[in-house]
């Protein structure tokens, strides 16, 4: 797992932080790729975004991202949202 320069994962709440290794492991096992965390609370997000509650991360897109999204979504279950965005994958803890 790589972390983009300037990105701080230390404030992430356990609900999302403890899943990072799970996500990294599954993406490596299935796709042979290392995930890159590109944003946590910093950067520009919508007002009210769970990024500001330290419950969301973005990871860099690759050409396999649509499949990666499906796999992560399945692995994390319904308490997490995994959204394919324009230039990243957004993952947040948002229990229903
Ligand atoms: Zn995001």
């Amino acid at each position: 797992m790589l972390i983009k320069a300037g990105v701080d994962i230390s404030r992430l709440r356990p609900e999302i932080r403890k899943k990072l290794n799970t996500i990294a492991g599954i993406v490596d096992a299935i796709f042979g790729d290392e995930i890159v965390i590109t944003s946590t609370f910093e950067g520009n997000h919508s007002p009210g975004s769970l990024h500001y509650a330290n419950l969301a991360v973005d990871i860099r897109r690759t050409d396999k991202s649509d499949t990666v999204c499906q796999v992560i979504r399945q692995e994390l279950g319904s308490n997490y949202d995994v959204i394919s965005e324009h230039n990243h994958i957004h993952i947040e803890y948002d229990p229903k």
Side-chain angles (χ1 to χ4, degrees):
M1 176 167 54
L2 300 172
I3 300 164
K4 188 180 161 189
V7 173
D8 177 7
I9 66 167
S10 70
R11 290 195 212 171
L12 288 174
R13 302 245 315 257
E15 293 88 340
I16 190 84
R17 193 176 62 220
K18 70 187 183 189
K19 294 297 184 185
L20 293 180
N21 282 333
T22 306
I23 295 166
I26 198 168
V27 171
D28 178 43
I30 297 179
F31 304 97
D33 286 341
E34 192 155 27
I35 62 166
V36 184
I37 311 288
T38 59
S39 183
T40 54
F41 62 85
E42 74 297 292
N44 291 313
H45 307 285
S46 330
S49 163
L50 288 177
H51 279 287
Y52 300 122
N54 298 308
L55 284 169
V57 298
D58 294 335
I59 65 176
R60 185 166 291 158
R61 281 195 75 88
T62 69
D63 54 359
K64 302 164 196 151
S65 286
D66 291 338
T67 323
V68 169
C69 271
Q70 290 173 18
V71 168
I72 295 173
R73 197 175 287 131
Q74 215 159 33
E75 177 69 25
L76 297 185
S78 59
N79 285 341
Y80 294 81
D81 292 331
V82 182
I83 301 161
S84 182
E85 303 272 12
H86 167 60
N87 60 354
H88 63 271
I89 298 171
H90 172 92
I91 304 167
E92 65 182 30
Y93 177 71
D94 185 19
K96 305 300 179 289

